[in-house]
């Protein structure tokens, strides 16, 4: 995102909307016109400032971004649909359609680390650090996840060199593994946490067994790991044929 | 895209926060699913929702119900937020009865959601839990502010906006109602819960100082 200096009147109305806090007041000389300027290295091209419709002079402009800058918008602006997943935002359908996709099968868990969430945003180099501690564990990285497509070498977890410095609002390292591997994946995430320059939020996905037991949650208890009281449940209403779809 | 997970809060204020999401699966049953998604929104509209939306059009604080429904495509993800658990249970019961075939995911306090599912004769298919935040947590803003900002899982509600609205309320520059509406606008999916934000802000007004970090 850029501010057109020919249009900006320095009212500051846009600043408060920026999740990255990267819009600052500036002026050329003492006594000169105060304007706002975006620190483009910190800006993640989320377009929140633009959509806020706060600018009285239409000074905010989103120029087309060339590679590798283009990854900022595709991960940070939920209005952009990823070419790979056809899902807006930075992830996959994960549990939301598991009742028809069976992406997470009984006996397996999904464990994800969402870099930059909450609030801070993250450089993709942080995502690489997470990939690199998980890759030796031979976990499966979710192919549908757009971050996975940035891997240069899935065996080592190295990302494409030219994207490492790019900053995004968030991006998700998404894994699927047999439940027996869950504890070591979580241990690896604990270990890498000390090397991360930002933060990441961790989640765990599990199928519910027919007797309504949830083995992954029992595993968490055994491992003395706590989880939040609020969570997400797919309630199993999905059908292969949707009403009115003539199938 | 776990955008309705990781909402921070207390058991007390999370007991007024339930999100419902409906969608079809790309490449599986998405073709011609838009009619069912519109039917889903029609059901929602009969109940006491506090927000709703679809990311390409926006939430109910920036778009009208007609615009939201009009913008529905086969690939849309329909969202609705409720404050009252009994109302939420009634919506789930009607969505179940409608048998739209869409995948439906709910978010909220796990204990209450399980109670509601049992009462409506449903059982969970897959669950997702939050294991917390790791890394440089010392860089995060005050946990009070996180309760507000994490209600937009895409991170569109800035900490600066949360801070400013709180201070403006304290200074009498903006009403609580206007403040919560303003906070809901950046959340493009319509999953921000302004009713819960109001409860949080009311509480913080008494304890929050102008110079909080
Ligand atoms: S595009 Fe996003 S990060 Fe960049 S200045 Fe605007 S609000 Fe801030
Ligand atoms: S709102 Fe527009 S005119 Fe005002 S400071 Fe921002 S870019 Fe400049």
């Amino acid at each position: 995102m850029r501010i057109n200096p020919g249009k900006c009147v320095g009212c500051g109305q846009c600043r408060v909307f920026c999740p990255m806090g990267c819009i600052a007041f500036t002026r050329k000389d003492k006594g000169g016109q105060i304007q706002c300027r975006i620190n483009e290295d910190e800006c993640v091209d989320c377009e929140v400032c633009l959509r806020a419709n706060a600018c009285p002079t239409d000074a905010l402009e989103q120029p087309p971004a060339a590679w590798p800058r283009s990854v900022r918008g595709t991960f940070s602006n939920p209005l952009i649909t990823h070419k790979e997943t056809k899902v807006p935002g930075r992830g996959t359908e994960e549990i939301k359609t598991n009742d028809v996709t069976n992406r997470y099968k009984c006996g397996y868990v999904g464990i994800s680390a969402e870099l930059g969430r909450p609030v801070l945003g993250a450089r993709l180099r942080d995502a690489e650090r997470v990939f690199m501690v998980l890759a030796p564990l031979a976990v499966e990285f979710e192919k549908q996840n757009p971050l996975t497509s940035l891997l240069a070498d899935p065996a080592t977890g190295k990302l494409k060199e030219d994207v490492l410095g790019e900053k995004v609002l968030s991006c998700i390292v998404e894994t699927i593994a047999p439940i027996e591997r869950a504890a070591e994946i979580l241990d690896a995430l604990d270990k890498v946490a000390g090397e991360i320059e930002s933060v990441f939020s961790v989640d765990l996905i599990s199928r519910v067994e027919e007797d309504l037991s949830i083995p992954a949650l029992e595993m968490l208890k055994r491992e003395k790991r706590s989880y939040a009281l609020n969570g997400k449940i797919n309630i199993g209403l999905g059908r292969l044929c949707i009403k009115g779809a003539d199938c | 895209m776990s955008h309705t997970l990781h909402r921070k809060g207390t058991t007390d204020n999370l007991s007024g926060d339930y999100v419902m999401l409906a969608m079809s699966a790309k490449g599986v049953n998405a073709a011609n699913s838009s009619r069912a998604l519109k039917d889903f929104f029609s059901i929602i509209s009969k109940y006491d929702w506090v927000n709703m939306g679809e990311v390409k059009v926006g939430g109910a604080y920036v778009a009208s119900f007609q615009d939201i429904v009009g913008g529905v495509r086969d690939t849309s993800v329909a969202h609705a937020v409720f404050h009252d658990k009994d109302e939420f249970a009634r919506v789930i019961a009607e969505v179940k009865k409608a048998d739209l075939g869409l995948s439906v995911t709910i978010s909220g306090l796990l204990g209450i959601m399980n109670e509601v599912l049992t009462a409506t004769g449903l059982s969970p298919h897959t669950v997702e839990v939050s294991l917390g935040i790791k890394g440089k947590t010392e860089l995060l803003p005050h946990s009070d502010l996180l309760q507000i900002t994490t209600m937009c899982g895409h991170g569109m509600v800035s900490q600066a906006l949360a801070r400013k609205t709180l201070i403006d309320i304290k200074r009498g520059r903006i009403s609580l109602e206007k403040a919560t509406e303003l906070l809901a606008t950046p959340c493009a999916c319509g999953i921000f819960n302004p009713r819960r934000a109001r409860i949080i802000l009311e509480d913080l007004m008494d304890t929050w100082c102008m110079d909080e970090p």
Side-chain angles (χ1 to χ4, degrees), chain A residues 3 7-14 36 54-57 59-60:
Chain A
I3 291 175
K7 290 184 176 177
C8 177
V9 293
C11 67
Q13 293 297 315
C14 53
C36 273
C55 181
T57 62
L60 289 153

Side-chain angles (χ1 to χ4, degrees), chain A residues 15-20 46 48 51 76-81 85-102 104 111-112 114 117-120 169-170 172 174 186 189-190 193-209 212 214 217 220 225-246, chain B residues 1-8 11 14 20-21 23-26 28-33 35-36 39 54-56 75 77 92 95-111 113-114 117 122-141 146 149-150 152-162 164 182 185-186 188-189:
Chain A
R15 294 182 68 229
V16 75
F17 291 97
C18 177
M20 293 293 99
C46 63
V48 170
R51 284 195 296 278
S76 310
N77 182 353
L79 274 73
I80 296 177
T81 298
T85 59
K86 298 188 176 59
V87 175
R90 73 256 132 154
T92 62
E93 292 177 4
E94 35 99 342
I95 82 160
K96 293 193 278 293
T97 53
N98 201 45
D99 47 355
V100 292
T101 61
N102 204 23
Y104 305 97
I111 295 177
S112 297
E114 184 165 353
R117 183 175 177 187
V119 172
L120 300 182
L169 205 46
S170 76
I172 312 174
E174 215 174 324
L186 294 173
L189 291 177
D190 286 345
E195 298 165 28
I196 297 295
E197 288 164 27
S198 179
V199 288
F200 59 95
S201 292
V202 181
D203 70 66
L204 177 137
I205 290 169
S206 172
R207 274 289 298 270
V208 179
E209 300 283 335
L212 299 186
I214 308 173
L217 298 191
L220 288 178
R225 287 183 180 273
S226 57
Y227 55 90
L229 292 172
N230 54 329
K232 255 167 89 168
I233 303 177
N234 178 316
I235 63 175
L237 293 179
R239 308 272 174 269
L240 287 177
C241 185
I242 284 181
K243 198 170 180 178
D246 304 326
Chain B
M1 203 175 63
S2 50
H3 63 318
T4 61
L5 193 72
H6 302 308
R7 287 158 97 94
K8 300 289 171 205
T11 314
L14 287 168
M20 186 183 281
L21 174 159
M23 69 186 294
S24 52
K26 315 290 168 293
V28 180
N29 60 4
N32 303 317
S33 61
R35 214 161 95 193
D39 288 349
E54 199 287 315
V55 69
K56 299 276 179 183
T75 51
V77 183
I92 292 177
V95 170
K96 179 194 170 199
K97 193 164 158 236
D99 195 19
L100 299 170
L102 296 165
S103 293
V104 174
T105 302
I106 57 176
S107 301
L109 287 171
L110 290 162
M113 290 196 297
N114 279 319
L117 289 182
L122 286 164
S123 46
H125 179 280
T126 312
V127 298
E128 184 169 10
V129 292
S130 168
L131 304 187
I133 309 168
K134 297 186 187 300
K136 286 209 165 53
T137 51
E138 65 274 18
L139 299 177
L140 291 171
L146 285 179
T149 62
T150 56
C152 171
H154 286 123
M156 307 274 102
V157 178
S158 74
Q159 56 164 312
L161 188 64
K164 183 178 185 306
L182 181 64
T185 55
C189 297

